[in-house]
Amino acid sequence: MMEASATIVAVASPPGHAPRGIVRLSGRASLELCGLATDLPAGVVRCTLPWSGSAALAVVSRAPRSFTGEDCVELLLPGHPAILDEAVRACIARGARAAEPGEFAARSWLHGKRSIDEAEGIAMAIAATSDAQLRAARRLQQGEAARAVCTLRDEVATLLALVEAGIDFTDQEDVVAIGGRDLADRLDPIVARLRALHAAPVAGAIDRPLPWVVLVGRPNAGKSSLFNALLGHERTVASPEAGTTRDAVPEPLSLGGQEAMLVDAPGIESPRSALDAAMQDQARQAIARAAVVLRCVPPGADHPAIGPDDVLVLTKVDDGGVAPHGAIATSAHRGHGLDALRSELARRLRCKPASESAEGAALLPRHRAAIDASIAELQSAAALARSGGAALPEAELVAPHLRAGLDALGSIGGSVTPDDVIGLVFARFCVGK
Ligand code: GDP
């Protein structure tokens, strides 16, 4: 496991070149490692890097009022991978340790700065590939899963308190133990609500595949240009040279509530090399898993046969050409027809069951497993309680099931300790007055 006393360091900006890059440190030696005075207050300071002698900006935050709860430094450096790498290696040479994945968030959790859900939400936000996943991650960060089970958890805690009161405080005349039927009747709606929660669609689960929209067409048909125009930002390189689209890397595409992955399939006519053949194969696979295929045809070219999942797209209409019936005429350069194409895609994706809904409970697989476990325990408790009729003769057997069900919910909504349950008993029954 991660060892928590070391000062950790990592590059915190995305890989590649950029105007600015960030190297992040957390732990007791953070300031010293960057050549900063150890009594420096939080703020932004100019510093001279001990390893290179060059100047940098450092954002200093002090324990406990930092993201991780420890002393932290973020160095703002020129965004060159070699410079960032040099900084990390220099910090490690001076005694820091390379941070493990998620270790900054893990430390913030260790220091009580955020709940495990919030930390998981941060990881999910980083891994998100679509707006819906990002929204789900934000809801997770805001503790939505915990809130959803909180009231149910408190109700189970109350019932456990009532059952335990019947076991432990029978000599107290104020304490009225709960009856078996009464307990079962109060457990049933809790189980029903947990079931509903469990059945809710999970928005943004990382492993939930988004539908693919695949652009196909001959080399130079204008696929890459249309790809970028639909995304609204540059991704692949459009080039006047035929066959420049080299790989099918999906990019998330947001269509007003609908989420999809846009894939630019390599356009290869007759493969000349093993690489060409491999790319053609990749294109075939992309088409096979596509929810919608955009058949891109430039002006003057023959129109391909259209299947039920295909949309015929005439590209480069600013160059002339008339769209045949049922086709959508577009110009990536002038923005013509893009809205029509987006609406058509949204309409078709709405009909696909695999389309990700933008909303839904922000539950992780871990949450679902906990809800499952809790349902099983509470059902066992209810069955035992019901068999007791009006009384609860099996209180000693029922209580462990309630406790286990409560613990499972506690792993989502924050745990309830035995002392809390005793506290509920005291609050309700004035035991020991
Ligand atoms: P791909 O090989 O199918 O990916 O095609 P590209 O997107 O690389 O485009 C091939 C050529 O067509 C490039 O020279 C583009 O500039 C040009 N092109 C793409 N879209 C348009 C458009 O909307 N209008 C015009 N006039 N040219 C375009």
Side-chain angles (χ1 to χ4, degrees), residues 111-428:
H111 291 107
K113 302 290 288 186
R114 46 198 44 78
S115 73
I116 191 77
D117 277 2
E118 288 169 325
E120 279 177 307
I122 293 168
M124 193 167 157
I126 292 167
T129 53
S130 71
D131 288 357
Q133 288 180 352
L134 199 57
R135 279 194 295 276
R138 294 227 169 97
R139 291 203 301 276
L140 196 61
Q141 262 168 275
Q142 290 155 6
E144 185 184 87
R147 266 199 309 282
V149 297
C150 251
T151 36
L152 298 173
R153 182 204 61 188
D154 291 348
E155 282 173 44
V156 177
T158 303
L159 293 176
L160 178 60
L162 289 168
V163 171
E164 290 192 341
I167 301 171
D168 298 337
F169 305 107
T170 41
D171 52 340
Q172 302 285 329
E173 53 189 53
D174 294 1
V175 176
V176 182
I178 187 167
R181 202 174 304 129
D182 189 15
L183 176 61
D185 287 349
R186 288 174 69 173
L187 280 171
D188 287 347
I190 298 176
V191 169
R193 275 158 66 195
L194 284 174
R195 281 226 183 86
L197 194 59
H198 191 268
V202 179
I206 299 295
D207 58 357
R208 188 185 172 95
L210 290 175
W212 276 28
V213 173
V214 179
L215 290 150
V216 292
R218 297 214 166 143
N220 237 11
K223 297 182 295 297
S224 315
S225 308
L226 188 59
F227 183 97
N228 291 332
L230 281 171
L231 283 187
H233 58 85
E234 283 293 305
R235 208 290 312 260
T236 41
V237 182
S239 146
E241 211 180 302
T244 9
T245 302
R246 303 309 289 182
D247 52 6
V249 179
E251 286 266 332
L253 174 68
S254 183
L255 297 158
Q258 296 289 318
E259 300 284 335
M261 296 304 281
L262 190 61
V263 185
D264 191 0
I268 297 157
E269 300 220 273
S270 39
R272 265 168 288 166
S273 64
L275 180 65
D276 282 358
M279 289 200 306
Q280 203 174 37
D281 195 43
Q282 201 184 18
R284 237 178 260 125
Q285 285 175 22
I287 293 167
R289 69 167 288 187
V292 181
V293 177
L294 301 181
R295 302 262 170 206
C296 301
V297 184
D302 291 341
H303 297 152
I306 295 293
D309 289 332
D310 295 357
V311 177
L312 185 58
V313 179
L314 182 72
T315 57
K316 314 186 199 181
V317 279
D318 55 298
D319 251 3
V322 181
H325 178 69
I328 297 178
T330 64
S331 163
H333 287 186
R334 303 267 167 85
H336 186 89
L338 296 178
D339 285 344
L341 186 52
R342 288 170 159 280
S343 331
E344 177 61 14
L345 281 175
R347 190 186 68 76
R348 286 183 177 238
L349 291 175
R350 262 195 298 277
C351 308
K352 304 272 173 194
S355 177
E356 183 167 3
S357 108
E359 304 311 325
L363 293 185
L364 291 172
R366 173 175 81 74
H367 296 138
R368 307 191 127 216
I371 291 175
D372 252 351
S374 181
I375 289 174
E377 294 292 348
L378 299 183
Q379 273 178 326
S380 304
L384 273 171
R386 191 158 278 127
S387 68
L392 187 57
E394 313 276 27
E396 279 90 350
L397 298 180
V398 172
H401 287 295
L402 288 178
R403 162 54 65 193
L406 184 60
D407 286 347
L409 292 183
S411 69
I412 305 172
S415 59
V416 179
T417 65
D419 284 351
D420 294 333
V421 176
I422 296 292
L424 281 172
V425 176
F426 275 79
R428 263 153 236 261

